[in-house]
Amino acid sequence: MSSRSPPLKKTCFNMIIGTHNGTFHCDEVCAVWMLKQLPKYKDAKVVRSRSSDILADCDIVVDVGAVFDHSKCRYDHHQKEFTETFNSLDSTKPWTTKLSSAGLIYVFYGEEVIRTLMEKIATDNSLDATSVSQEQVRIIYSKVYENLIEEIDAVDNGISQSDDVPRYVVSTTLGKRVGNLNPRWNEESNDDILLKRFEKAMALVGAEFMDRVTYYQLGWLPAHNIVKEAIEKRFEIHSSGEIICFPNVAAPWKDHVMSLEKELNVETSIKYVLYPDVANSKWRVQCVPIRNDSFVNRLSLPEKWRGVRDTELSNLTGIADCVFVHANGFIGGNATYEGVLKMATESLRQAN
């Protein structure tokens, strides 16, 4: 959304980005890192303060100041009256999680950030940077919000992932890793030390951000057409249309299957994906989950097969050359394509 960006006030060499001092969090670390990817703020000085006089001299301020005003480049979300979400600022987007400073910067500058990074990634991989299309930028812009920035927004605003009591603790999220870079309670701490730690946190967040964009650009996006072709040919694999196959490569498929089912008006949902296990010269059959982030499958492999291997599994299923079925029933293996196809079709038959 670079068209939303306010006009330049000064040259990029004397721009100032302001944020709060003291303990830093993932949202403002990410917000500042994103801004510094743009030509306008690439060489900007970062000032950390809560002084209104000091912040008044900054060209852009994030996560402090109790003001959200895009026309004045002020992006705080802590004020009582702030309720903005991605959807409230851009009704074409579905996300309704309250924004943090990371989300605010992403809404207004993120599309420009994504384009800048995609062109760099293309150049670094000997690709034509001019081949990066606006449609590709738009797709990855949405993917990065949904799979990175929204998490930062939610955590900073104290929004739980669910209302249920977690079964286990997740302590390795990006936000927790950023938080761990703050000085410990019994460590020496001052403005200089905190600024160095803040810069280290920016490098950590930047590496994570770049990894996401690189994967989506070079891995995930090229898989779209491969998955689409497999879905279009699903009735050539099995008359039910519930099995698809990647004959040559195991492309990343989960996200694409679910979005393409909607796009292509697939009436009967796909249950199984067949693909080669290239490293072992064998084949796999994998269940499609109910959601991309779920361990629950649309249709798991039969319970009596789970945890059984090799000859015992072949004798149990009546299918030659079986290798294994996972104890959770989400994946199985066979030495041949014909074998995994039989495993998938027999699973469908038993379910019906």
Side-chain angles (χ1 to χ4, degrees), residues 6-147:
L8 283 170
K9 293 182 184 177
K10 332 177 193 177
T11 68
C12 61
F13 297 105
N14 58 5
M15 300 291 281
I16 301 174
I17 301 172
T19 190
H20 64 80
N21 59 0
T23 300
F24 50 80
H25 310 98
C26 194
D27 70 315
E28 81 268 15
V29 170
C30 184
V32 173
W33 182 85
M34 286 190 287
L35 288 171
K36 287 183 71 67
Q37 306 316 298
L38 303 176
K40 180 175 177 178
Y41 296 110
K42 179 171 68 73
D43 298 305
K45 179 181 179 181
V46 177
V47 172
R48 303 183 73 240
S49 176
R50 294 186 186 273
S51 166
S52 57
D53 292 337
I54 291 174
L55 294 173
D57 289 332
C58 296
D59 297 280
I60 187 167
V61 176
V62 301
D63 210 43
V64 68
V67 175
F68 164 50
D69 188 338
H70 177 54
S71 69
K72 296 178 180 179
C73 296
R74 295 304 187 257
Y75 302 95
D76 197 9
H77 67 109
H78 294 100
Q79 52 276 28
K80 183 178 180 179
E81 66 274 15
F82 183 90
T83 58
E84 301 290 1
T85 68
F86 209 138
N87 176 262
S88 71
L89 295 174
D90 181 350
S91 61
T92 68
K93 303 298 184 185
W95 304 290
T96 57
T97 298
K98 182 180 176 182
L99 298 172
S100 68
S101 62
L104 279 171
I105 293 301
Y106 196 76
V107 168
F108 291 102
Y109 302 88
E111 201 163 310
E112 186 180 354
V113 170
I114 295 298
R115 175 172 285 283
T116 300
L117 297 181
M118 289 182 69
E119 289 175 351
K120 181 182 185 302
I121 291 165
T123 300
D124 291 347
N125 286 272
S126 302
L127 302 171
D128 181 7
T130 63
S131 67
V132 175
S133 69
Q134 183 56 32
E135 177 66 8
Q136 291 173 330
V137 171
R138 183 192 63 78
I139 291 171
I140 293 181
Y141 174 59
S142 291
K143 289 295 295 181
V144 170
Y145 183 77
E146 187 172 41
N147 291 279

Side-chain angles (χ1 to χ4, degrees), residues 13 35 87 115 173 225 239 243 265 306 316:
F13 297 105
L35 288 171
N87 176 262
R115 175 172 285 283
T173 63
N225 288 339
S239 59
I243 304 170
N265 296 314
R306 299 174 198 174
L316 178 63

Side-chain angles (χ1 to χ4, degrees), residues 183-253:
R184 295 186 300 274
W185 68 271
N186 54 357
E187 254 187 308
E188 180 184 0
S189 180
N190 55 46
D191 287 346
D192 289 338
I193 289 172
L194 279 164
L195 180 58
K196 289 179 181 177
R197 296 290 187 95
F198 185 89
E199 290 168 347
K200 187 174 181 180
M202 278 203 298
L204 172 65
V205 170
E208 183 89 13
F209 199 111
M210 282 295 295
D211 281 348
R212 299 295 179 97
V213 177
T214 300
Y215 168 70
Y216 290 136
Q217 181 176 355
L218 301 183
W220 181 86
L221 200 56
H224 180 273
N225 288 339
I226 294 173
V227 179
K228 184 176 183 179
E229 182 180 5
I231 292 175
E232 290 173 338
K233 292 182 176 180
R234 66 192 184 281
F235 290 105
E236 297 177 18
I237 304 301
H238 189 259
S239 59
S240 67
E242 297 178 70
I243 304 170
I244 63 172
C245 177
F246 304 124
N248 301 312
V249 63
W253 52 266

Side-chain angles (χ1 to χ4, degrees), residues 238-308:
H238 189 259
S239 59
S240 67
E242 297 178 70
I243 304 170
I244 63 172
C245 177
F246 304 124
N248 301 312
V249 63
W253 52 266
K254 289 183 184 178
D255 271 358
H256 293 299
V257 164
M258 294 174 188
S259 61
L260 283 166
E261 282 179 330
K262 294 178 182 177
E263 180 183 321
L264 300 173
N265 296 314
V266 174
E267 293 183 2
T268 303
S269 64
I270 294 161
K271 307 301 190 301
Y272 300 114
V273 177
L274 314 180
Y275 57 86
D277 175 9
V278 178
N280 297 297
S281 301
K282 292 179 171 56
W283 278 80
R284 296 286 178 95
V285 50
Q286 187 166 344
C287 307
V288 178
I290 59 172
R291 294 187 316 275
N292 188 38
D293 61 348
S294 177
F295 293 109
V296 178
N297 304 310
R298 290 175 174 177
L299 183 61
S300 296
L301 295 169
E303 187 171 357
K304 64 182 180 181
W305 297 2
R306 299 174 198 174
V308 185

